[in-house]
Amino acid sequence: MPPEPSVKRTAAFFDGQALFHAAKKAFGYPYPNYDPKALAECIATGRSWTLAETFFYTGIPDPTDNAFWSHFWTAKLAVLGTRGIQTFSRSLRYRNQTVSLPDGTATTILVGQEKGIDIRIALDVVRLARENRYDVALIFSQDQDLSEAADEVKAISIEQGRWIKIACAFPSSPTSENRRGINGTDWIKIDRATYDGCLDTNDYRPKKK
């Protein structure tokens, strides 16, 4: 086994939409109120890792489709960029989806879908491993599509003869629907106290007139 480095450079990768929905299920928050840099720092320092880089990815709806969330994510990304976070965004694509209601009837709602975010994260996780930019990849997602990236990073570790850890972090509570992390990674469950200690002091929701 390659020797474990004394200083573990950590790169954090955030799936912004996935983290929001997981926190909503786990803790009941109606909008993405987390501070990515603070959350990554908290988890890294708690494990004696050194946060080196932070990457944030999200889909953004067109203002004509959803003015509220378009404003929110555009404003949040602008501020994250000033905090040294590298951001990546894609347009959300909307389609009609039929859902079943508790009374047995069905209704059609408009659902936004991200295209390409998971692929972008996977490419960056693998690329930065090959470039020897980190020792720990800390992924804020539970997307099993990223398990292939985890496998690739393990292969890179063998090829380069160096120690690399891959971890995924996600909100967890009794109300969480998905309680599994990404296969092939170390799972880090974020409890409410940890999450609440890393809230963003800014509220990017449009102000009511």
Side-chain angles (χ1 to χ4, degrees):
M1 290 290 292
E4 185 173 329
S6 56
V7 177
K8 299 174 181 64
R9 302 162 301 157
T10 302
F13 303 87
F14 282 83
D15 183 330
Q17 296 282 350
L19 180 55
F20 160 47
H21 289 292
K24 185 177 181 180
K25 291 289 185 182
F27 310 131
Y29 288 118
Y31 71 99
N33 59 349
Y34 55 83
D35 181 333
K37 193 71 169 288
L39 197 52
E41 284 277 12
C42 178
I43 291 176
T45 56
R47 288 158 179 78
S48 298
W49 302 341
T50 301
L51 183 64
E53 297 183 271
T54 304
F55 301 84
F56 190 90
Y57 310 77
T58 187
I60 301 179
D62 187 275
T64 58
D65 291 323
N66 193 317
F68 178 94
W69 287 117
S70 178
H71 178 281
F72 180 93
W73 286 112
T74 300
K76 190 174 181 76
L77 288 184
V79 171
L80 293 184
T82 68
R83 297 176 180 172
I85 297 174
Q86 300 180 57
T87 63
F88 177 88
S89 63
R90 282 278 176 88
S91 297
L92 280 175
R93 303 301 181 189
Y94 282 80
R95 68 179 181 84
N96 289 321
Q97 180 174 312
T98 301
V99 297
S100 299
L101 300 178
D103 62 3
T105 61
T107 187
T108 300
I109 59 174
L110 197 62
V111 177
Q113 292 186 324
E114 290 182 312
K115 293 295 183 183
I117 291 296
D118 56 343
I119 295 174
R120 184 71 257 172
I121 295 174
L123 287 171
D124 285 351
V125 168
V126 172
R127 176 176 60 83
L128 267 63
R130 289 199 179 281
E131 294 175 359
N132 194 4
R133 293 262 292 272
Y134 64 75
D135 305 300
V136 179
L138 177 57
I139 305 172
F140 290 80
S141 173
Q142 294 167 274
D143 190 339
Q144 293 300 341
D145 287 343
L146 295 173
S147 63
E148 294 185 20
D151 292 340
E152 184 66 20
V153 171
K154 291 176 183 177
I156 294 170
S157 172
I158 295 172
E159 291 171 6
Q160 296 185 354
R162 67 186 186 91
W163 184 95
I164 308 178
K165 179 184 287 292
I166 313 165
C168 74
F170 52 93
S172 180
S173 82
T175 59
S176 297
E177 292 183 353
N178 183 5
R179 303 186 185 186
R180 291 185 56 82
I182 300 167
N183 292 339
T185 70
D186 290 3
W187 299 356
I188 300 173
K189 296 182 179 181
I190 303 170
D191 60 24
R192 181 155 197 155
T194 300
Y195 184 91
D196 285 354
C198 302
L199 299 182
D200 196 333
T201 56
N202 295 330
D203 185 345
Y204 306 98
R205 292 175 292 182
K207 301 298 184 290
K208 294 181 179 180
K209 297 179 180 180

